[in-house]
Amino acid sequence: MAVRTSDRIRSNGAHRPGGIALTRRAVMLLAALLSLAPGWIQPATDPATGPAAPASVPAARLAKNVVVITVEGGIDRWTEASVNRRLAQAEKAGADAVVIELDTPGGELGAVLGTSQSIKSSSIANTVAWVNDDAYSGGAILALACREIVAAPTASMGDAFPVTATMTGLRGLTPDERVKLLPPLLADVTESARRNGYDEYLVQAIVVDGVELWAVEDTETGRVLFINESEHRALFDAEPVRGKPALASVPGGRAGTEYSAPQTTPQTTPQTVPQTPPGEQAADAATPPPGPQGPTDTQEVFEITEERRFNPASDALADVSESISEGLETETTRPAITPALKGRFINPVYVTDGTAPIVMRSDELDRFGFSAASITNDEQLKEFFGADELARVNMGWEYKLARFMSSLPVRILLIAVFLLGMLIEMTNPGVIFAGVAAAAALGALIVPSLLTDFAGALELILIAAGIILVAVELLLIPGFGVFGLAGIGAMFVGIMLTFVPDGPSFGSAGAGSLLTGATTTLLGLVTAGIGAFFLLRNAESLPLLKRLILQTPEPTTVGVLEAAARADSDDVEPGAIGETISPLRPSGRVRVDGRAYDAIATRGYIEAGQPVEVLGSQGFSLRVRPAEPRREGDTA
């Protein structure tokens, strides 16, 4: 098209005096206009420098291919495993940026902290949290772990106060739980704040109550700083003015105070971009701020310097400050507030009264320097990055299935079905339905964990060994002794460990998973016992069970499940001749002198209705072998 235009211009000039001069002037004017035109008119690609960044997108945020990882509903170990896998897929696919889209009420502390560390340690440094619509509790922790935050117009974020679930509902932390759980949580959000340019004191107010804060403007940097009461007195020599907190969502606060935060100065040096929101500036540096890239086997143990030490926003955190400091690797840029800084900070505004952990709406996220932009849909998200491609990656079906199959009621039922089916099949060979049910229940217990990397070789070995030991006890060594107990114990431990990722863990999260696994498995055993009792009492009255139970040819013979009606094997003398009531594979039942006994064939398989010779008793069973054909004159 350019060639044809150029030819037309030259042709017109050839027929008119001064045409060439006019054409030159037009070309010069067009070139001047193009040099003044906005960035979107510029070519999309420069051979020397590559893609040209849109004028409104900072270089550190600019991404060609963006992957959106959705986090919906409660955050649990399946969420953590799914996010880890999707992050790995994004890295493998060469994504330039990852968006963690959040709509969650929070979840398990261990899973939240694990997911947070995965986000921070990802090789894709360009991470953005999209609060769409809610990021409460653990969701707020994940949002802070990202380099930037964007929010939907209806977004809410905050209230990450840790609680414990009990049989009667939720409760606060006990003193012991507080000392164990608060330090890693506060260390995580403080580390996120230092890495990503959020205010250290304000993120503490998201996690705990009792944090009362004022916002002040730094006249030297233009940065907004949040200070507590003692720092307020040091700077202003006056009684702090409280009144209405600016953060209306705090319980006890009242709406009505308008607060517009001045432009904040990031903790890293940004590119100069006009009108960039405070939350974006901290992310504009070409190199991401220093910080941990995930634990390694050779991770250095850092000395706790003053710059790395945790700064508690409230005196109530003094007892855990040292433990929190041990979890920090990034140095703070927060100035030490002393009377020497009087006059540097101005315009104190009451933000939160500390009656509860804070919750911020979309406009408040923007005012307080958390949100870099208001994003409503995927197209706006692409514009935010200047991206060409945006792909969504939701949680896979295997994780959703595993979550359902791992719920406590389902697992208790599966454990009970597995134990009952295995017991019936081993003690009564030929009841195929029981064996199929046991195998299906075992698969339902293990396969979801295998799909999501939560069950390893140890669990499978223990369960398989347990089945073999119980089979040896029931089929080869009558009675119930060491092999049976060892088998049940091995199966118990194997099933219990499927609750814990990568085997047992001795941390607080791992101990909780072990306890949950042990409790669930015990409840499954109890349920199986109740089911066995029900079968024994009602086997003859249930049509389905009557078809499954092996019956003797005589109508007076009882079912094989009625163990209580079995005769004493010690009453039978060796050498007695009897007849098999059921197949011996090798265990089953025989009749000797009109009475039914449990029996085990010493060799081979003996069909029902065949003569057998009693060799002796073993436990509660008779040891038998096929009887030799009788000759004339022999007696029974």
Side-chain angles (χ1 to χ4, degrees), residues 372-580:
S374 178
I375 300 294
T376 303
N377 51 50
D378 286 359
E379 287 303 316
Q380 292 181 357
L381 198 60
K382 287 178 65 176
E383 293 176 6
F384 179 76
F385 288 99
D388 296 330
E389 301 290 339
L390 185 147
R392 286 184 162 274
V393 188
N394 299 321
M395 175 181 279
W397 65 267
E398 66 273 24
Y399 292 98
K400 296 179 181 178
L401 175 63
R403 174 183 286 163
F404 171 76
M405 299 303 294
S406 298
S407 61
L408 294 186
V410 173
R411 281 211 157 189
I412 291 171
L413 179 61
L414 290 174
I415 292 171
V417 170
F418 165 64
L419 294 176
L420 271 176
M422 185 181 66
L423 180 63
I424 294 173
E425 183 64 31
M426 288 183 174
T427 56
N428 303 275
V431 186
I432 299 175
F433 176 80
V436 172
L442 181 61
L445 280 169
I446 297 177
V447 170
S449 295
L450 287 174
L451 289 174
T452 50
D453 304 324
F454 272 82
L458 176 61
E459 291 90 326
L460 298 179
I461 291 172
L462 286 172
I463 294 173
I467 293 173
I468 293 172
L469 289 173
V470 171
V472 168
E473 183 73 33
L474 292 173
L475 302 179
L476 302 179
I477 308 176
F480 206 82
V482 176
F483 284 92
L485 293 175
I488 290 178
M491 285 190 290
F492 181 91
V493 175
I495 293 173
M496 183 178 65
L497 290 183
T498 61
F499 285 78
V500 184
D502 300 324
S505 170
F506 295 99
S508 58
S513 297
L514 281 173
L515 180 60
T516 300
T519 303
T520 305
T521 308
L522 280 174
L523 290 173
L525 286 171
V526 172
T527 304
I530 296 173
F533 176 79
F534 175 78
L535 290 177
L536 291 175
R537 293 291 301 270
N538 301 279
E540 292 296 319
S541 62
L542 298 175
L544 177 61
L545 291 178
K546 288 181 68 175
R547 290 195 296 269
L548 296 176
I549 297 172
L550 294 173
Q551 303 291 334
T552 63
E554 292 78 13
T556 58
T557 304
V558 295
V560 294
L561 284 180
E562 297 191 28
R566 292 168 181 168
D568 189 352
S569 60
D570 292 334
D571 296 339
V572 182
E573 295 293 333
I577 301 299
E579 183 181 29
T580 56

Side-chain angles (χ1 to χ4, degrees), residues 354-378:
T355 54
I358 63 174
V359 173
M360 293 174 283
R361 313 301 176 192
S362 181
D363 57 335
E364 294 159 344
L365 288 169
D366 177 53
R367 292 174 188 172
F368 299 139
F370 285 93
S371 177
S374 178
I375 300 294
T376 303
N377 51 50
D378 286 359

Side-chain angles (χ1 to χ4, degrees), residues 157-410:
M157 171 182 141
D159 191 5
F161 187 80
V163 294
T164 301
T166 66
M167 297 296 291
T168 58
L170 300 178
R171 63 166 174 79
L173 302 180
T174 65
D176 288 341
E177 290 171 340
R178 181 179 180 276
V179 171
K180 291 179 182 179
L181 300 180
L182 270 187
L185 179 56
L186 282 169
D188 184 87
V189 298
T190 302
E191 186 71 29
S192 296
R194 292 181 179 183
R195 288 165 54 103
N196 302 324
Y198 308 123
D199 190 271
E200 287 187 40
Y201 277 12
L202 200 57
V203 299
Q204 293 177 47
I206 294 175
V207 176
V208 295
D209 54 9
V211 177
E212 187 180 27
L213 297 176
W214 288 258
V216 293
E217 180 184 355
D218 187 342
T219 58
E220 293 187 5
T221 65
R223 175 187 176 187
V224 170
L225 190 70
F226 293 83
I227 61 173
N228 57 27
E229 181 178 355
S230 62
E231 292 173 330
H232 187 288
R233 294 181 183 278
L235 291 176
F236 299 105
D237 284 335
E239 184 68 22
V241 177
R242 288 178 169 85
K244 302 176 182 178
L247 198 53
S249 58
V250 174
R254 296 185 298 276
T257 301
E258 290 295 330
Y259 170 62
S260 179
Q263 182 101 353
T264 62
T265 298
Q267 298 182 14
T268 55
T269 304
Q271 288 190 341
T272 302
V273 182
Q275 302 302 319
T276 303
E280 290 185 9
Q281 295 189 26
D284 287 348
T287 302
Q293 296 301 312
T296 64
D297 294 337
T298 57
Q299 187 174 9
E300 180 182 357
V301 177
F302 295 94
E303 178 187 357
I304 301 177
T305 62
E306 285 302 316
E307 291 77 15
R308 286 187 51 245
R309 190 172 298 279
F310 174 70
N311 299 313
S314 169
D315 293 339
L317 296 174
D319 60 326
V320 293
S321 293
E322 194 69 20
S323 299
I324 297 171
S325 298
E326 294 172 358
L328 298 176
E329 297 179 7
T330 304
E331 296 182 352
T332 184
T333 59
R334 190 180 195 276
I337 303 300
T338 65
L341 296 180
K342 289 179 182 178
R344 174 176 168 178
F345 294 92
I346 60 175
N347 300 332
V349 177
Y350 193 42
V351 174
T352 169
D353 58 13
T355 54
I358 63 174
V359 173
M360 293 174 283
R361 313 301 176 192
S362 181
D363 57 335
E364 294 159 344
L365 288 169
D366 177 53
R367 292 174 188 172
F368 299 139
F370 285 93
S371 177
S374 178
I375 300 294
T376 303
N377 51 50
D378 286 359
E379 287 303 316
Q380 292 181 357
L381 198 60
K382 287 178 65 176
E383 293 176 6
F384 179 76
F385 288 99
D388 296 330
E389 301 290 339
L390 185 147
R392 286 184 162 274
V393 188
N394 299 321
M395 175 181 279
W397 65 267
E398 66 273 24
Y399 292 98
K400 296 179 181 178
L401 175 63
R403 174 183 286 163
F404 171 76
M405 299 303 294
S406 298
S407 61
L408 294 186
V410 173

Side-chain angles (χ1 to χ4, degrees), residues 94-118:
D96 304 314
V98 167
V99 175
I100 308 296
E101 184 179 357
L102 299 165
D103 189 7
T104 170
E108 301 169 5
L109 178 60
V112 168
L113 294 180
T115 307
S116 173
Q117 288 302 315
S118 296

